[in-house]
Amino acid sequence: MDILNRVKNYREEENRLKWEGTFAEYLEIIKDRPEVAQTAHSRVYNMIKAAGVEERNSRKMYQFFGEEIFGLEEAIERLVEEYFHPAAKRLDVRKRILLLMGPVSGGKSTIVTMLKRGLEQYSRTDEGAVYAIKGCPMHEDPLHLIPHHLREEFHQEYGIRIEGSLSPLNTMRLEKEYSGCVEDVMVERIFFSEDKRVGIGTFSPSDPKSQDIADLTGSIDFSTIAEYGSESDPRAYRFDGELNKANRGMMEFQEMLKCDEKFLWHLLSLTQEGNFKAGRFALISADELIVAHTNESEYRSFISNKKNEALHSRIIVMPIPYNLRVSEEERIYEKMIKQSDMAHVHIAPHALRVAAIFSVLTRLEDSKKQGMDLLKKMRLYDGENVEGFNQVDVEELKKEFPVEGMNGIDPRYVINRISSAIIRKEVPSINALDVLRSLKEGLDQHASISSEDKENYMNYIAIARREYDDIAKKEVQKAFVYSYEESAKSLMDNYLDNVEAYCNKNKLRDPLTGEELNPDEKLMRSIEEQIGISENAKKSFREEILIRISAYARKGKRFDYNSHERLREAIQKKLFADLKDVVKITTSSKTPDESQLKKINEVIARLIDEHGYNSVSANELLRYVGSLLNR
């Protein structure tokens, strides 16, 4: 990539997008494209929608957040549908501060950053174009130039509602520079930029004793008092506070609830009336989305203070919990690793998964539902099938704890422990056991974990270890089966032939001798027992299989190895059981013979080629599984 050419092209594109003209010419633009005059909330909603919306499992998935936010689809849908959508329609919701509340490292800051970066990009598109009075430090909406008594007629003709009054500075400029001729006022296209302080602001509280309200609302420029003669002359005022600069876009209010009360008072009229007080002027109109974020304990403390009641009623709280799906948690770790200097390290398959299992278990609440434990709940949440439960149960579980996931281990802790494992091992490869060991050791250093939580967390690490043991054994045993799919298919065909003969009370014919044989009960039971089918339940299970085969045949589809999940699991387990001794002998032999060595090399090659291991992690896996099978 020629970086200088790319920079040049970007600059040329920005110059091409620039526009400047009179207010009369601007009216022609909005006559053709009324969306140009949309409110800040509407712009944010349309930006999110423009990235794409997908329906999945009766849930809306917003692609705008898809590459950065994982496992929070419900929280994102609630955020968009309960705040941005009604706010875009000018409902009362837009007169509220949006407060994202959730645990540390849960994605709140990421959501806000995505909105800011998204607005910067969106303002460069035709759909998200923003125009302002030229030379205005607050990038004021040109439609404020329309006098109040004409706005109803304007709405009838253009279909656009105008809210807000012309700012003191532009009121003076209209008289002095344009002699009151509204049509001659110059308008320009602006591009949102946090760095250039255009349409995007960020306010972070500091020491209440030293922080000045001017950081929010601007201040008097004393060097110009002599020139303009009065502090109430708008030309003697610097409209450079965060509320001024964020006009038309959004402002992030960091740690809002830690702020001194005088800073929050300005938000009362801004949210409810769309204006704020600055200097010795009339109220200044502003159209901006205010987003704040906090954790649960700070929020509880805030609402318990009676002094905050007025502001509390002007806040909409959106809970942003931790992700509760193991597969999505893995994606979070993968993203964080790619963004770090650890991207070159080989992380063995399932290493991140066991870390994700541990993390998610720490965040789940114990259900009162009969037969439901945390492991089953975790699997159901991740979309897996759990015997005796289905996805209807998932909805019931979620209703049991509407804001589940507000506590537990945060993703940054896990990444820190993975980093620690890499540095300690001094090998460019780590496996699941390295990660679990590091997670366990890190609990002693985690200052905020109580002794009770620590005991629970140690138990969750043990559960994650058992899950990994099962995964590791299956992985190795699967690698030992040469032409695994063919072996499985052959075993399944044999089983189905016997089931069909058993259900139809027929006999089978021996392919070699031609003699008639009874269905092989021993073979069928050896497969069915792998998934806990009892002697009493075998008949109904076999009939269910036959009904499934008939249903497939009616639809012109072939019943194969993947057509029945429980049967597939039984076939796999039977194959693995038959191979167990071979695997045990081969992996545990300290001095393998030539045939064992050949088998080991084949297995290692298969683990590398088909399962994502490297030579170090594949050998470690084999040694570990050998030790498991010999226990």
Side-chain angles (χ1 to χ4, degrees):
M1 180 181 76
D2 185 344
I3 189 68
L4 293 177
N5 273 337
R6 294 291 292 272
V7 170
K8 182 184 173 188
N9 290 342
Y10 185 87
R11 189 170 62 247
E12 287 172 354
E13 173 68 6
E14 192 160 276
N15 288 332
R16 187 186 67 77
L17 291 173
K18 282 180 181 174
W19 181 90
E20 192 178 297
T22 63
F23 180 63
E25 291 170 324
Y26 172 69
L27 288 181
E28 292 302 315
I29 291 175
I30 61 169
K31 188 177 278 187
D32 295 335
R33 292 160 50 213
E35 71 274 7
V36 164
Q38 64 191 322
T39 63
H41 288 84
S42 176
R43 190 173 288 107
V44 172
Y45 175 65
N46 288 328
M47 169 189 75
I48 293 169
K49 221 169 52 163
V53 186
E54 187 183 322
E55 286 272 351
R56 200 184 301 162
N57 299 327
S58 70
R59 176 148 280 122
K60 286 182 179 176
M61 315 288 281
Y62 291 92
Q63 305 302 319
F64 179 83
F65 299 98
E67 294 304 310
E68 292 286 332
I69 302 292
F70 305 118
L72 296 181
E73 290 82 7
E74 288 175 47
I76 293 294
E77 184 181 24
R78 190 166 59 244
L79 173 65
V80 176
E81 292 303 315
E82 292 182 20
Y83 183 79
F84 288 125
H85 192 180
K89 300 293 184 188
R90 295 177 186 264
L91 290 170
D92 218 44
V93 172
R94 73 195 172 104
K95 297 177 179 179
R96 307 285 182 272
I97 297 164
L98 174 62
L99 179 64
L100 306 180
M101 181 189 69
V104 294
S105 190
K108 305 183 297 295
S109 300
T110 305
I111 289 170
V112 176
T113 302
M114 289 187 77
L115 291 172
K116 292 198 286 191
R117 296 295 86 82
L119 276 174
E120 288 179 345
Q121 292 299 318
Y122 193 58
S123 68
R124 298 169 62 86
T125 65
D126 289 344
E127 300 79 16
V130 189
Y131 294 82
I133 295 174
K134 189 180 179 187
C136 173
M138 282 186 61
H139 337 292
E140 187 165 9
D141 186 348
L143 292 182
H144 286 180
L145 291 162
I146 303 285
H148 284 271
H149 66 278
L150 295 176
R151 289 185 178 181
E152 187 54 43
E153 289 177 47
F154 180 86
H155 175 233
Q156 289 171 8
E157 184 179 344
Y158 286 81
I160 298 168
R161 291 186 189 278
I162 305 172
E163 293 176 354
S165 302
L166 198 60
S167 67
L169 179 63
N170 285 321
T171 301
M172 178 176 277
R173 289 179 64 206
L174 178 61
E175 292 304 318
K176 290 188 178 295
E177 294 177 30
Y178 298 101
S179 305
C181 298
V182 166
E183 64 275 17
D184 294 336
V185 174
M186 294 303 291
V187 174
E188 63 179 347
R189 182 173 178 180
I190 59 170
F191 305 103
F192 287 161
S193 167
E194 185 174 20
D195 294 339
K196 295 176 182 175
R197 302 188 75 211
V198 178
I200 296 174
T202 303
F203 181 80
S204 185
S206 58
D207 181 5
K209 292 175 184 173
S210 61
Q211 188 152 34
D212 191 348
I213 199 71
D215 294 346
L216 268 185
T217 60
S219 61
I220 295 165
D221 184 354
F222 289 101
S223 65
T224 61
I225 296 291
E227 183 183 348
Y228 298 119
S230 168
E231 289 182 18
S232 60
D233 189 309
R235 291 170 298 179
Y237 197 85
R238 288 197 299 260
F239 294 91
D240 59 357
E242 293 304 321
L243 292 180
N244 307 107
K245 293 300 182 181
N247 186 32
R248 312 294 301 287
M250 68 175 280
M251 188 186 83
E252 177 187 7
F253 213 123
Q254 295 178 347
E255 305 295 346
M256 185 182 86
L257 304 187
K258 288 179 181 170
C259 249
D260 190 72
E261 289 171 16
K262 66 182 180 183
F263 288 90
L264 301 180
W265 293 335
H266 281 277
L267 302 182
L268 292 176
S269 65
L270 178 60
T271 50
Q272 192 62 38
E273 309 299 334
N275 52 43
F276 63 92
K277 191 83 172 76
R280 298 177 180 179
F281 307 116
L283 291 166
I284 297 173
S285 297
D287 171 31
E288 55 197 84
L289 159 69
I290 297 178
V291 188
H293 40 93
T294 187
N295 60 47
E296 196 170 7
S297 59
E298 277 181 4
Y299 178 68
R300 300 288 167 222
S301 171
F302 172 76
I303 59 172
S304 64
N305 187 344
K306 293 287 183 186
K307 288 182 181 178
N308 297 324
E309 281 184 357
L311 190 63
H312 180 224
S313 66
R314 288 172 171 81
I315 291 175
I316 281 196
V317 180
M318 285 289 164
I320 306 292
Y322 283 132
N323 157 60
L324 297 176
R325 285 161 50 199
V326 172
S327 53
E328 294 297 304
E329 190 71 10
E330 277 189 86
R331 292 182 69 194
I332 293 171
Y333 301 153
E334 284 166 5
K335 181 190 88 170
M336 293 172 88
I337 286 167
K338 279 178 189 169
Q339 292 171 349
S340 73
D341 292 335
M342 298 190 295
H344 66 287
V345 176
H346 172 77
I347 298 176
H350 316 299
L352 297 182
R353 183 167 185 80
V354 294
I357 288 170
F358 164 70
S359 297
V360 170
L361 285 172
T362 68
R363 301 166 187 171
L364 294 174
E365 305 282 351
D366 281 303
S367 173
K368 295 183 178 70
K369 200 174 180 70
Q370 193 172 1
M372 178 63 64
D373 59 28
L374 285 186
L375 201 56
K376 286 178 181 174
K377 189 177 188 180
M378 179 195 82
R379 286 179 173 147
L380 278 169
Y381 276 11
D382 206 31
E384 292 182 42
N385 288 317
V386 175
E387 193 172 350
F389 299 98
N390 55 38
Q391 289 306 303
V392 174
D393 294 296
V394 174
E395 295 307 314
E396 288 178 19
L397 289 169
K398 286 178 179 174
K399 284 174 187 170
E400 204 175 354
F401 302 100
V403 283
E404 190 173 24
M406 298 300 272
N407 298 296
I409 287 291
D410 65 282
R412 284 198 194 108
Y413 170 79
V414 175
I415 290 298
N416 291 345
R417 298 316 303 163
I418 290 172
S419 308
S420 177
I422 290 166
I423 291 161
R424 190 186 307 112
K425 203 172 177 189
E426 294 180 353
V427 174
S429 169
I430 61 165
N431 59 37
L433 294 177
D434 297 323
V435 172
L436 285 174
R437 198 178 298 115
S438 187
L439 287 170
K440 187 177 179 181
E441 290 168 0
L443 293 179
D444 293 326
Q445 303 160 23
H446 206 300
S448 62
I449 295 178
S450 66
S451 55
E452 186 187 346
D453 282 342
K454 185 182 173 184
E455 192 178 326
N456 287 331
Y457 290 178
M458 295 292 273
N459 183 40
Y460 299 147
I461 286 174
I463 293 171
R465 168 79 177 266
R466 290 197 293 274
E467 287 291 293
Y468 175 64
D469 289 352
D470 288 342
I471 292 167
K473 281 188 278 191
K474 282 182 183 177
E475 195 111 293
V476 169
Q477 289 168 333
K478 188 185 268 192
F480 261 89
V481 180
Y482 184 70
S483 303
Y484 172 76
E485 295 294 335
E486 283 74 7
S487 304
K489 182 179 177 299
S490 173
L491 182 59
M492 192 190 76
D493 287 345
N494 196 358
Y495 173 78
L496 292 178
D497 288 342
N498 281 280
V499 163
E500 200 168 354
Y502 169 86
C503 291
N504 295 330
K505 297 184 171 56
N506 292 335
K507 291 190 180 259
L508 291 164
R509 193 172 293 280
D510 189 301
L512 293 175
T513 63
E515 66 176 304
E516 289 192 334
L517 303 169
N518 287 322
D520 190 341
E521 185 66 23
K522 190 177 176 185
L523 170 78
M524 289 187 288
R525 290 303 293 140
S526 71
I527 290 169
E528 290 156 0
E529 283 168 354
Q530 300 294 330
I531 51 169
I533 303 293
S534 67
E535 184 70 28
N536 293 333
K538 70 180 185 183
K539 186 171 185 290
S540 59
F541 180 74
R542 292 169 188 176
E543 286 171 347
E544 180 199 324
I545 296 289
L546 208 61
I547 290 166
R548 181 76 64 91
I549 292 170
S550 303
Y552 269 68
R554 279 199 309 275
K555 293 173 184 172
K557 286 164 43 177
R558 177 172 164 71
F559 185 91
D560 63 21
Y561 173 62
N562 293 308
S563 299
H564 193 288
E565 195 157 329
R566 294 195 68 213
L567 178 57
R568 182 180 65 196
E569 183 188 349
I571 296 287
Q572 282 180 1
K573 287 186 173 178
K574 170 63 177 160
L575 274 175
F576 293 159
D578 293 346
L579 271 169
K580 191 172 182 178
D581 290 336
V582 179
V583 176
K584 193 191 296 186
I585 293 164
T586 311
T587 56
S588 61
S589 178
K590 289 179 182 173
T591 53
D593 60 29
E594 194 177 330
S595 67
Q596 287 173 338
L597 200 58
K598 185 184 175 190
K599 192 73 178 171
I600 286 172
N601 288 335
E602 283 178 6
V603 169
I604 287 173
R606 198 163 293 125
L607 287 169
I608 292 170
D609 296 341
E610 297 175 18
H611 297 278
Y613 290 83
N614 68 2
S615 58
V616 174
S617 58
N619 275 290
E620 288 173 341
L621 177 73
L622 277 183
R623 282 197 297 274
Y624 180 63
V625 170
S627 72
L628 285 177
L629 294 175
N630 279 300
R631 281 177 192 172

